[in-house]
Amino acid sequence: MTTAVYNAPFDVESVISVPGTREGVYRALGQIATPEVYRLLLRSPPDFNSINEKSLFRPLGKSLPNHPQAVSLLLRVQDSPERNRAAREFARRVFGFAGVEILPELHEALKSDDRVIRSNAARGCGSVGNRSSIPYLVDALDLESVDRKSVV
């Protein structure tokens, strides 16, 4: 049995191709990540149990600092309904693979007036796992408590 070869976004004469599997398509998209690719992947996040996490998230994470619009998309992912939980987890994993290069954007997002953006930025900081985020996270907690007091 042979595996189909998928050459998108390259033309049919391209020597660059990927296996015509779901993981192959995700890997190809990760290598050419643009805000449009992130938007597409947020609409239909990959099944994390059926893909090699590094093959998808490493190229997406490494391309993220070059696409501020994509950072904004990932920060705006809502917590509900159910299908958005996968999108939120997708965003968290991309931030984690972006590494310390993405921290300035995440630290700035922690100051946002929007609780969703702050929440996603905090998850992203946690995924990166760098101690330099701690003071920014503490400040974001202060903003969160002010928000909660104003609602009560």
Side-chain angles (χ1 to χ4, degrees):
M1 182 172 118
T2 60
T3 302
V5 175
Y6 181 67
N7 288 317
F10 313 103
D11 65 27
V12 292
E13 296 180 15
S14 170
V15 295
I16 299 173
S17 61
V18 295
T21 63
R22 175 175 278 178
E23 187 170 331
V25 171
Y26 283 134
R27 216 172 328 146
L29 289 172
Q31 293 171 8
I32 57 146
T34 63
E36 292 77 22
V37 168
Y38 287 99
R39 198 172 286 115
L40 171 71
L41 291 172
L42 282 169
R43 268 191 249 129
S44 182
D47 175 8
F48 304 113
N49 298 320
S50 67
I51 63 165
N52 177 333
E53 188 172 323
K54 289 182 181 174
S55 70
L56 172 64
F57 292 105
R58 181 172 284 134
L60 285 172
K62 295 306 173 196
S63 74
L64 191 58
N66 301 324
H67 299 288
Q69 291 174 327
V71 174
S72 180
L73 284 171
L74 296 175
L75 286 169
R76 294 185 190 306
V77 174
Q78 297 286 327
D79 284 346
S80 60
E82 181 65 33
R83 103 177 161 79
N84 284 337
R85 289 187 182 162
R88 187 183 69 217
E89 180 61 15
F90 171 80
R92 186 190 68 75
R93 291 179 187 216
V94 171
F95 286 137
F97 276 90
V100 295
E101 286 184 51
I102 201 66
L103 287 179
E105 286 89 347
L106 294 178
H107 293 164
E108 188 61 32
L110 288 169
K111 301 174 190 173
S112 173
D113 291 335
D114 187 323
R115 295 178 73 192
V116 169
I117 291 174
R118 286 197 314 265
S119 175
N120 288 331
R123 285 187 184 97
C125 288
S127 293
V128 172
N130 188 287
R131 296 176 66 83
S132 68
S133 294
I134 293 172
Y136 297 96
L137 290 164
V138 169
D139 289 345
L141 281 174
D142 289 342
L143 283 174
E144 190 67 21
S145 66
V146 167
D147 279 354
R148 289 188 187 272
K149 287 178 186 173
S150 67
V151 172
V152 177

